[in-house]
Amino acid sequence: MAEGNRGNDGGPGADGPVTAEEDSGSGGHPWSNWAITLATLLAPTTFIGALLLYFGFAYTGALYAHFGVDAATLGFSTQDYALRSAGALYVPAGVALTVALVAVLVYYAARALGARSGRLPPGGRFAPYLLSVCGLVLFALGMLGGLGVWDAGAMDTPLLLGSGLVLVVYGRALFFKLSGADYPVARERLALALVAALVGLSSFWAVHAYAKQHGDDDARYLARNLWLRPAVTVDTTERLHLPPRQVRETVLPATDQPQRFRYRYEGLRLLAEVNGRMFLIPENWSETGGSVLVIPAGNAVRVAFRTD
């Protein structure tokens, strides 16, 4: 009687023994599930934000280095770097997200097929092996390119390394799902952590190469089309002694009224304006002998802008 009453009271005898998974999921530490979910959501966001910032820094550095200006002297903020990277990443980010979406759909389709034994399409069992073999080939090509065995481009090596590792892991995951098993398994978690680190390193490597190439391309285009930048006229109290072939200097005529500004310089374009400093570039700037004028905003200069 006592044992029967104790079972009806909801004790251990009522529904059988409680497993460790049920105990960890329903009692004790409910915040742990929220922490795992939050970390899952924030980790990709943090990684993408870091890529945007890194891209913006590399892109800005390559852009202004073409004009002989070190990006560190500009003093851009973190927000400036992130904003400068957004426009150039639309196409590669869209392609990467589309590929990821297709991969997720195939993954869930494989899981559904794995739940049905014996109903796989012809050759379906060989697809994971084919993906893994292709991944190994791409990874090997990336290693050989990094070692200089073949003439790999700036983005070839990191893209081959990263995509190769992703294909190997993706093929492994599809194999487990087609078999109806869960992935990852405990014995492979360390290897997956190392793969994730290598893929992250390859991503930053590829982003750096792409950003430098994109920044240099934009700089060359801007150098050929400086009329796209605002025209600037600068009045100063003292002569600047700029190259006469690059900037037009005019001595302002004397007037009855006292006038502080005595010299006018024209033929300049605004390259950048950061933290109260203007970086001005001559309209006929060239890579050989071209110069950039840095003027601090203050009472010693008078600046006028115009658009063509």
Side-chain angles (χ1 to χ4, degrees), residues 30-100:
W31 53 267
S32 60
N33 295 332
W34 287 99
I36 294 174
T37 303
L38 185 62
T40 304
L41 294 174
L42 290 181
T45 305
T46 304
F47 181 74
I48 293 174
L51 281 178
L52 285 173
L53 180 60
Y54 188 65
F55 180 93
F57 183 79
Y59 169 82
T60 304
L63 176 67
Y64 290 104
H66 184 80
F67 299 102
V69 178
D70 187 359
T73 63
L74 295 171
F76 285 122
S77 64
T78 301
Q79 183 179 4
D80 293 330
Y81 286 123
L83 291 176
R84 287 173 176 270
S85 67
L89 284 178
Y90 285 143
V91 173
V95 172
L97 290 176
T98 302
V99 173

Side-chain angles (χ1 to χ4, degrees), residues 13-28:
D15 298 316
V18 179
T19 63
E21 293 180 357
E22 294 173 348
D23 183 66
S24 61
S26 59

